[in-house]
Amino acid sequence: MEISALQKARYAYRPKLPAILTAPVSEIAVEFGAPTESVADQADLRALFKHSYGKPIARFVQGKNEKITRKLTVGVILSGGQAPGGHNVIAGLYDGLKKGNRDSKLLGFLGGPSGLIENKVIEITDAFMDEYRNTGGFDMIGSGRTKIETPEQFAASLETAKKLGLDAVVVIGGDDSNTNAALLAEYFLDKGEPIQVIGCPKTIDGDLKNEHIETSFGFDTATKTYSELIGNIERDANSAKKYWHFIKLMGRSASHIALECALQTQPNICLISEEVEAKKLSLGQIVDQICDSIVKRAANKENFGVVLIPEGLVEFVPEMKQLIAELNDLMAHYADEFAGLSGFEAQAAWLGKKLSAESAKVFASLPAEIAKQLLMDRDPHGNVQVSRIETEKLLIGMVEQKLAELKKAGTYTGKFSALAHFFGYEGRCAFPSNFDADYTYALGFTAFVLIASGLTGYLSSVKNLTAPADKWVAGGVPLTMMMNMEQRHGSKKPVIRKALVELDGKPFKAFAAKRAEWAVKTSFLFPGAIQYYGPAEVCDQPTKTLILEHS
């Protein structure tokens, strides 16, 4: 296998660990707090998780732990979308197992949760592991979005685990994947099987966090990767001085990525979905906000700028949210009838009769290309695939229209040329930053200690992340503690609650305090590429979001 010079150099990097995890493993004990409750719907969740609800928070301390050196066989799953650092979670888990007992085994399930259901597995060895240390991607064992949800899938998972002689399964994933981990842990307990399940918090979206999970892994690297690209575009805009760049960023349910990139790069405009929803801003009001910046900058002879747009914005705009909800319902209830319609014109005419008068008006006002994107194939949950809606192009079209009106009225004299971008996959498999390389390795090693100490139904937790790594605090958080009940597929389901951008939180307030200035005055920051070598303030800093939240 041919490798780049950077990949070779990164193989040699030794991730930093919390001080407690550098001790001999037999001297890492577990200290428990008080029993916990879920964030909401306590009675429902207690009934669903009869064996695993209410577990205490676990924290590692110095002390004797005789169980930790026993021989273990553990299976690991990469679940859901890729995030930088997944390979290092596996590395930390692997090294922990081997440090505990050289005869312990780590098995990787291929292709995500389906690997557990179908018993597709590979043993991870020293040589195999060493090919993937400190690298991006999930290509070591692959990932997948299969959910273990039917009785047959749960039974098949148990059968695989028993055939392989597993002591535990580690699920590396986001909120849905770790909800699945909690259900799997409960299922094994209900069947009287001693197979443990531990989760690790992954998602570049940054929405799997709370007081005990300070950030999900991959968020640091992804936002730094996007911010490098945004900074490059800002410099280009400031050089050419003739384009407005509309940049859509990943983040369907939450705007953490957009907010962090704004804090790193200081664009002229950054839209925050949660604020749009809270203020009930219409598309017209959003366009007015953008045009206000364009007009003021044009008056300063600056006919250029940068606008950041979260991927899920359209779902937070009230009239679009209602339209999308109606479309989802219609496409579900009249799937065959709709499939029989030939061409967009026929589909639009049919929808004009089925949609409410308000939504029909909104649909008719959209550019044809955007309207077509709303009618594309649904996702596995039957919903519009928001990432395929070119919100950036929708806003450009509406801004052009509004500026033409302002020019006609004599209140705008500038020139407007716009370019559209979407940054998504560019950030999911980057070489992890030093922070993510360290954090993920610590999460994996923590998962080993939780397993070796006999725990199940926990999420690996590493806290105090704004301090140097040796001051980080390792332990575990009960998965049920983070759950509530939500409507899914027509019934209430247990899910880990997503963390949205808090409009009264320090990161948003820091952004809000400066955005009026950035909207008019060119204040671009150019963070440049992720650095791996050099002073700690260049190489090892966490995100601005994390720093502000803990300041």
Side-chain angles (χ1 to χ4, degrees):
M1 180 175 72
E2 193 174 350
I3 61 171
S4 69
L6 179 61
Q7 187 169 341
K8 185 177 180 182
R10 292 306 283 167
Y11 283 161
Y13 180 72
R14 294 290 172 262
K16 300 179 282 292
L17 279 171
I20 188 67
L21 298 183
T22 63
V25 289
S26 59
E27 295 175 19
I28 306 173
V30 181
E31 182 179 82
F32 293 104
T36 59
E37 293 277 11
S38 59
V39 292
D41 307 304
Q42 289 83 7
D44 290 341
L45 287 161
R46 193 179 290 109
L48 279 169
F49 294 91
K50 293 184 178 70
H51 307 284
S52 54
Y53 184 87
K55 289 174 179 284
I57 290 169
R59 179 179 170 177
F60 301 158
V61 294
Q62 284 188 319
K64 292 296 173 193
N65 192 340
E66 291 170 7
K67 288 194 290 189
I68 209 165
T69 55
R70 62 202 163 95
K71 180 183 171 184
L72 295 166
T73 301
V74 176
V76 63
I77 298 169
L78 291 168
S79 180
Q82 290 82 347
H87 291 156
N88 263 28
V89 179
I90 298 174
L93 175 60
Y94 180 81
D95 290 352
L97 283 166
K98 294 298 183 181
K99 197 173 177 183
N101 188 313
R102 276 308 299 175
D103 294 326
S104 289
K105 279 187 187 177
L106 182 60
L107 307 176
F109 286 105
L110 303 175
S114 62
L116 176 62
I117 297 166
E118 298 164 15
N119 195 4
K120 292 179 180 175
V121 70
I122 186 170
E123 183 173 353
I124 295 170
T125 61
D126 289 353
F128 184 35
M129 187 68 253
D130 289 346
E131 286 181 31
Y132 292 94
R133 292 179 185 273
N134 308 306
T135 61
F138 279 8
D139 47 319
M140 181 180 186
I141 55 174
S143 185
R145 295 189 181 275
T146 300
K147 282 190 176 180
I148 302 170
E149 51 190 353
T150 68
E152 294 78 15
Q153 288 173 321
F154 278 106
S157 299
L158 177 56
E159 187 180 348
T160 296
K162 288 169 77 173
K163 272 183 185 173
L164 296 172
L166 294 186
D167 295 290
V169 175
V170 174
V171 178
I172 302 168
D175 52 320
D176 280 341
S177 300
N178 278 296
T179 296
N180 224 199
L183 291 165
L184 197 61
E186 178 67 21
Y187 179 81
F188 290 159
L189 288 168
D190 190 58
K191 297 298 177 185
E193 299 291 345
I195 304 156
Q196 302 156 245
V197 183
I198 299 295
C200 286
K202 171 233 63 166
T203 172
I204 67 164
D205 288 354
D207 56 9
L208 174 51
K209 66 176 184 178
N210 51 51
E211 63 180 305
H212 301 288
I213 306 300
E214 294 179 354
T215 188
S216 53
F217 80 75
F219 179 72
D220 185 271
T221 306
T223 53
K224 284 173 179 168
T225 301
Y226 299 141
S227 294
E228 177 197 352
L229 298 173
I230 294 163
N232 293 349
I233 285 174
E234 287 178 337
R235 192 132 233 171
D236 190 278
N238 202 24
S239 300
K241 299 191 186 298
K242 61 180 180 179
Y243 294 117
W244 274 86
H245 296 266
F246 284 63
I247 303 170
K248 185 171 74 171
L249 294 160
M250 271 196 168
R252 174 170 181 170
S253 300
S255 306
H256 297 292
I257 289 176
L259 178 57
E260 174 62 26
C261 290
L263 291 167
Q264 288 194 36
T265 63
Q266 300 183 180
N268 303 103
I269 295 161
C270 175
L271 302 171
I272 301 296
S273 298
E274 291 86 341
E275 183 181 31
V276 167
E277 183 174 54
K279 292 183 175 178
K280 295 183 170 59
L281 298 179
S282 67
L283 272 176
Q285 288 172 309
I286 292 167
V287 168
D288 287 345
Q289 179 187 335
I290 296 169
C291 287
D292 183 61
S293 174
I294 292 170
V295 169
K296 286 175 179 173
R297 287 179 60 74
N300 296 333
K301 307 294 186 211
E302 293 189 309
N303 292 295
F304 64 91
V306 172
V307 181
L308 303 187
I309 305 156
E311 178 186 27
L313 178 72
V314 290
E315 286 193 302
F316 289 80
V317 178
E319 72 262 35
M320 291 295 290
K321 187 175 186 177
Q322 182 180 330
L323 170 61
I324 288 169
E326 288 186 32
L327 286 173
N328 288 340
D329 284 345
L330 288 172
M331 308 278 265
H333 289 119
Y334 301 98
D336 294 338
E337 188 177 337
F338 186 80
L341 298 170
S342 180
F344 174 68
E345 286 185 14
Q347 292 172 338
W350 182 85
L351 285 167
K353 296 171 187 173
K354 296 283 187 184
L355 290 166
S356 66
E358 189 179 34
S359 289
K361 186 179 176 183
V362 173
F363 187 78
S365 73
L366 296 173
E369 286 307 308
I370 302 298
K372 286 176 186 176
Q373 289 163 12
L374 286 168
L375 306 182
M376 285 179 178
D377 293 339
R378 317 325 261 172
D379 69 12
H381 305 293
N383 299 321
V384 168
Q385 297 193 57
V386 171
S387 65
R388 295 173 70 175
I389 299 170
E390 294 175 310
T391 316
E392 65 279 25
K393 292 183 180 177
L394 169 63
L395 290 175
I396 287 171
M398 294 181 74
V399 165
E400 282 175 337
Q401 194 176 346
K402 178 71 176 180
L403 290 175
E405 293 170 12
L406 295 174
K407 188 162 273 193
K408 202 171 179 182
T411 54
Y412 171 62
T413 56
K415 296 176 182 176
F416 179 75
S417 295
L419 296 171
H421 313 264
F422 175 32
F423 297 153
Y425 294 99
E426 295 87 345
R428 301 201 315 173
C429 289
F431 277 98
S433 62
N434 283 354
F435 173 85
D436 266 332
D438 297 345
Y439 179 45
T440 50
Y441 189 81
L443 286 170
F445 203 109
T446 296
F448 151 68
V449 178
L450 292 170
I451 292 162
S453 303
L455 279 66
T456 189
Y458 278 78
L459 190 66
S460 182
S461 166
V462 178
K463 296 166 58 176
N464 199 33
L465 296 174
T466 53
D470 63 339
K471 301 287 194 299
W472 290 355
V473 177
V477 186
L479 286 161
T480 58
M481 185 184 180
M482 297 177 280
M483 288 186 175
N484 62 184
M485 302 292 288
E486 290 180 16
Q487 197 77 12
R488 299 276 177 96
H489 296 287
S491 62
K492 289 275 193 179
K493 303 277 186 185
V495 293
I496 291 173
R497 180 186 281 177
K498 285 184 185 292
L500 304 182
V501 168
E502 295 179 2
L503 301 182
D504 60 352
K506 289 180 182 177
F508 180 80
K509 283 185 173 179
F511 159 71
K514 301 295 288 184
R515 62 178 165 181
E517 179 186 337
W518 299 347
V520 181
K521 182 183 174 186
T522 301
S523 309
F524 302 151
L525 272 181
F526 315 113
I530 293 171
Q531 300 298 309
Y532 301 101
Y533 310 101
E537 61 269 24
V538 174
C539 301
D540 300 335
Q541 290 301 299
T543 57
K544 291 184 181 293
T545 296
L546 202 51
I547 291 167
L548 285 164
E549 284 174 342
H550 294 274
S551 62

